[in-house]
Amino acid sequence: MVEQEALDDVLKALADSTRRVMIQRLSEGERTVGELAEPLSMSLAGASKHVGVLESAGLITRERRGRERVCSLRPNALRELRDWVAHYAEFWDSRLNALDAALRADNAEEDDE
Amino acid sequence: MVEQEALDDVLKALADSTRRVMIQRLSEGERTVGELAEPLSMSLAGASKHVGVLESAGLITRERRGRERVCSLRPNALRELRDWVAHYAEFWDSRLNALDAALRADNAEEDDE
DNA sequence: TTCTTGCTCAACCATATGGTTGAGCAATGG
DNA sequence: CCATTGCTCAACCATATGGTTGAGCAAGAA
């Protein structure tokens, strides 16, 4: 059902704030590797590695265009993650609702604040 | 707004299939560390470390009960992750819809299959 | 008390990860 | 042609991660 391997790669790729910043920027539109690297206080080669991680996780694509490499988000790679999280978020929500109810009950009892 | 540090910990914790299995089992109910370790072809100490990672990411709690440590999921730690994913899933979905539309258009043209 | 169970902790090891630099290639500009 | 720009690759380094074993503590059983 769920391809655990792919989910692993996606989660590992996202578990780094540098790469999440890249995803953020790419959600605004295409960016070259250089553009992604620019605000990052890191060498270009370092940024390029991060791009590589995102690419092999299937989260983005890198396309040669002249001498630049243009990156764009790949819709659909996050699907699996979304489904996974949604599954547990459901569970979480029901727990939260139970918690809320309990807290409301407590507050009603105490009749304070 | 979003606590990047916490999100980092949550994503790192989940980016390991062993720990996701633990989450899965815990979603069915409380489990002791030993119970979580049992199906894992790994030493108890190893499993205990994984439990520690989940705990310090805020995803579960570990409570001493007699000589056992009982683990349970902590509702609400996944909230931030869910929100993050939901944000991008929205983006992803709109892209996917565009893709679907494009594909439908292609199929209509080809009028095949 | 003594033995056993359930677990944690510390030390250690191998490999993965995140970063660097330096070399070098391919495309564009002079 | 040659220089410059945009990037990748390989080598290297430090630290983090995932696992092991062995010691040991705390609680329950005998």
Side-chain angles (χ1 to χ4, degrees):
Chain A
M1 190 115 312
V2 178
E3 298 159 34
Q4 286 294 331
E5 220 182 289
L7 186 51
D8 242 70
D9 289 345
V10 168
L11 281 162
K12 283 196 179 102
L14 295 176
D16 179 294
S17 65
T18 296
R19 290 192 289 262
R20 287 199 304 279
V21 167
M22 288 179 163
I23 292 285
Q24 159 60 33
R25 308 245 347 262
L26 287 173
S27 76
E28 297 162 358
E30 295 180 341
R31 295 282 186 275
T32 67
V33 173
E35 287 169 338
L36 287 176
E38 187 250 35
L40 285 186
S41 74
M42 173 187 308
S43 70
L44 181 59
S48 178
K49 272 200 193 178
H50 282 293
V51 171
V53 172
L54 290 172
E55 188 179 30
S56 58
L59 287 162
I60 71 169
T61 57
R62 205 175 352 183
E63 178 198 348
R64 168 153 231 141
R65 200 174 297 169
R67 66 182 151 186
E68 302 180 329
R69 310 291 167 99
V70 177
C71 304
S72 28
L73 282 183
R74 254 192 45 161
N76 130 354
L78 260 201
R79 274 192 147 166
E80 197 182 351
L81 175 58
R82 182 194 46 189
D83 293 348
W84 192 90
V85 174
H87 174 67
Y88 290 103
E90 212 175 299
F91 168 87
W92 252 260
D93 274 341
S94 65
R95 287 291 187 284
L96 284 171
N97 289 338
L99 243 178
D100 284 353
L103 290 174
R104 259 195 302 279
D106 282 1
N107 283 340
E109 259 176 47
E110 291 177 15
D111 193 39
D112 199 347
E113 155 116 349
Chain B
M1 192 117 312
V2 179
E3 299 158 34
Q4 287 293 333
E5 218 182 291
L7 187 51
D8 243 70
D9 287 346
V10 168
L11 281 163
K12 283 196 180 103
L14 295 176
D16 179 294
S17 65
T18 296
R19 290 191 289 261
R20 287 200 303 281
V21 167
M22 287 180 163
I23 293 286
Q24 159 59 33
R25 308 246 347 263
L26 286 173
S27 76
E28 298 162 357
E30 295 180 342
R31 294 280 186 276
T32 67
V33 173
E35 286 169 339
L36 288 176
E38 187 250 37
L40 285 186
S41 72
M42 172 187 308
S43 70
L44 181 60
S48 177
K49 272 200 193 179
H50 282 294
V51 171
V53 172
L54 290 171
E55 188 178 31
S56 58
L59 287 163
I60 71 170
T61 57
R62 204 174 353 182
E63 178 199 348
R64 170 153 230 142
R65 200 174 298 168
R67 67 182 151 185
E68 301 180 330
R69 310 292 166 100
V70 177
C71 304
S72 28
L73 283 183
R74 254 191 44 161
N76 130 355
L78 262 198
R79 276 191 146 163
E80 196 182 353
L81 175 58
R82 182 193 47 190
D83 293 347
W84 192 91
V85 174
H87 174 67
Y88 289 103
E90 213 174 298
F91 168 86
W92 253 259
D93 274 341
S94 65
R95 288 292 187 283
L96 284 172
N97 290 338
L99 243 178
D100 284 352
L103 289 174
R104 260 195 300 281
D106 282 2
N107 283 341
E109 260 176 44
E110 292 177 14
D111 194 39
D112 198 349
E113 153 112 352

